[in-house]
Amino acid sequence: MPVTSVIAPDAPARMGEPVEPTAMLRYLEALGAWRDARRTELDELDRLALASPDAAALAPDVTLAMALWQAVAVRYGELEKVWDSGRVGLVERQRLSALVWGRLDAAGTGASLAVSLPEACRLSDALAAQLRLRLSLDPVGLDLAAHLRAMRATLERIRDLVSAEPAGPVRDGGAARLGRLERRLTELTGKAQRGADVGGLVGPWETDAAVAERDLIVAAATRRDAERDRARAEARRADLIARAEAVARTADACASRVRPAPTLGIPRVEALGPVPSDPGAVVAYLTRLDAVGRALAQAEEAYSAPLAEVDRLRALLDLYRAKAEATGLTTRLEVREMYRLAGAVVHDTPTDLPRARAVLAAYQALLGDASIGGTR
């Protein structure tokens, strides 16, 4: 059975922009058809690859293609669930956009590759085309014009990927590869127009173009991951600085209101320095920020707990006083004196916590004893 290749549909909207229901419906229908056709294609390519003399060399690309398909299929199921046959409001439309353009973990790729749904589909198209070429399933001589059209389309996709990259080594390298591919395609087209047999030139060009496109897609996904990590680190750092200031205020209040006050140190987020620009260093920086966050939580608990206990002891004193009044025990001198002593200790600033606990326990015990004595 001949293997028919398919091309993924264009995705609707953009990141952060709610999808339009009509465009989303068309996309889901086209993506569902692409998913089914790509699975059929990959099954046939897998069968042919296993029977090929180069089975071992083809296995990594087949595995990656299958993993990408699985990731897309899972995300398609999530889209269908949120779409709910078109019963969507603004919240659901925003959620659909996030599912289309957000991170899609392609498990099993061997490199923890994280790409968006459209990128995964384009990468799947490039891998399928490369596998078809390596398995010699697209004889050039049958339709050279169609091949040249597909090659020009591939070149334009690569051009778009290069232009989307910020200035730097990745863009420079991609531009250089694009230039070489463009020159080779121009020479190849010229030879074909002069009647030369270019079948042997098409295959290597398509292989190089597929690799270039795949590398640029992966680079774009990696760059966006790094940008997200850096933004997360910046936000986390700012949050921890504000939190550290709040913990410091709590520590000051604790020192002035409670005796003995804890002496736990408060970590300084600024000691970590600014967020680094290197992606690998940002990951390590986030780990250190998490450690600082845990230390701040420990300090916050250490300083807020004594303050909360002072408030609790004062509330208990009022509660016991109300109980004494309700039961008529305030007529007893020892009850009144113990309340006066407990009030002086509990409301003293700074409050001596061990003494406050002891005097309140004694007042509670006295009320219990007096109540029992009064019933005899």
Side-chain angles (χ1 to χ4, degrees):
M1 182 180 69
V3 182
T4 303
S5 189
V6 289
I7 301 297
D10 292 331
R14 292 180 298 180
M15 187 64 179
E17 179 182 281
V19 299
E20 289 298 326
T22 303
M24 192 66 210
L25 175 60
R26 288 197 299 266
Y27 180 65
L28 283 173
E29 291 174 346
L31 185 63
W34 178 91
R35 177 201 58 179
D36 296 341
R38 176 51 46 83
R39 181 65 203 204
T40 301
E41 180 182 3
L42 288 178
D43 286 343
E44 184 64 10
L45 290 172
D46 184 35
R47 184 185 68 79
L48 294 171
L50 289 173
S52 170
D54 296 327
L58 292 166
D61 279 351
V62 173
T63 301
L64 177 58
M66 290 292 189
L68 282 168
W69 181 90
Q70 181 62 36
V72 170
V74 170
R75 181 55 55 88
Y76 178 81
E78 295 171 350
L79 287 169
E80 284 273 86
K81 184 176 180 180
V82 176
W83 176 247
D84 191 22
S85 300
R87 291 184 287 271
V88 292
L90 179 59
V91 172
E92 290 78 15
R93 288 164 53 205
Q94 290 173 330
R95 174 64 178 153
L96 287 167
S97 179
L99 286 172
V100 171
W101 294 104
R103 180 171 174 156
L104 183 152
D105 292 320
T109 60
S112 299
L113 175 63
V115 294
S116 67
L117 178 59
E119 287 170 337
C121 292
R122 289 173 64 181
L123 188 52
S124 176
D125 287 345
L127 279 170
Q130 186 174 2
L131 284 169
R132 290 171 61 84
L133 177 67
R134 294 172 68 182
L135 289 166
S136 301
L137 297 177
D138 288 332
V140 176
L142 293 181
D143 192 350
L144 178 59
H147 265 279
L148 292 175
R149 285 195 299 272
M151 292 161 74
R152 284 191 289 271
T154 299
L155 198 66
E156 289 308 309
R157 291 198 303 271
I158 294 173
R159 194 188 312 280
D160 291 342
L161 289 168
V162 170
S163 63
E165 282 293 325
V170 174
R171 179 166 185 162
D172 293 343
R177 294 169 83 174
L178 174 63
R180 290 193 295 270
L181 288 168
E182 195 164 19
R183 287 190 297 272
R184 287 168 60 188
L185 182 56
T186 300
E187 293 173 3
L188 189 152
T189 304
K191 289 182 179 181
Q193 290 172 344
R194 293 191 296 271
D197 182 3
V198 296
L201 301 176
V202 171
W205 189 98
E206 289 182 327
T207 297
D208 292 345
V211 172
E213 185 175 15
R214 181 171 65 181
D215 289 348
L216 285 166
I217 291 172
V218 172
T222 302
R223 171 174 52 79
R224 278 193 298 276
D225 280 350
E227 290 170 353
R228 280 193 290 264
D229 285 344
R230 181 174 174 79
R232 186 159 61 93
E234 292 283 6
R236 177 71 167 149
R237 183 178 187 273
D239 176 68
L240 288 177
I241 289 175
R243 187 175 172 189
E245 292 172 353
V247 173
R249 290 192 294 270
T250 302
D252 291 341
C254 188
S256 63
R257 292 180 54 195
V258 178
R259 187 175 69 244
T263 57
L264 192 65
I266 301 173
R268 290 186 67 255
V269 183
E270 293 87 346
L272 296 179
V275 178
S277 56
D278 178 71
V282 171
V283 174
Y285 190 87
L286 281 167
T287 301
R288 292 196 293 273
L289 285 176
D290 287 341
V292 170
R294 290 191 295 271
L296 279 175
Q298 185 179 0
E300 186 175 25
E301 172 63 22
Y303 288 110
S304 61
L307 293 172
E309 186 176 4
V310 168
D311 293 338
R312 183 179 65 83
L313 291 176
R314 291 175 179 176
L316 279 175
L317 179 61
D318 293 339
L319 179 65
Y320 294 155
R321 172 67 173 175
K323 175 184 175 182
E325 291 177 346
T327 56
L329 296 177
T330 53
T331 59
R332 299 193 176 190
L333 177 62
E334 67 273 23
V335 172
R336 294 198 302 274
E337 286 299 312
M338 181 56 73
Y339 172 74
R340 183 189 61 78
L341 175 61
V345 173
V346 170
H347 288 285
D348 190 23
T349 302
T351 302
D352 187 329
L353 264 183
R355 189 166 176 236
R357 294 187 197 109
V359 74
L360 197 65
Y363 183 51
Q364 180 187 19
L366 179 62
L367 292 180
D369 291 343
S371 176
I372 293 172
T375 60
R376 291 175 182 170

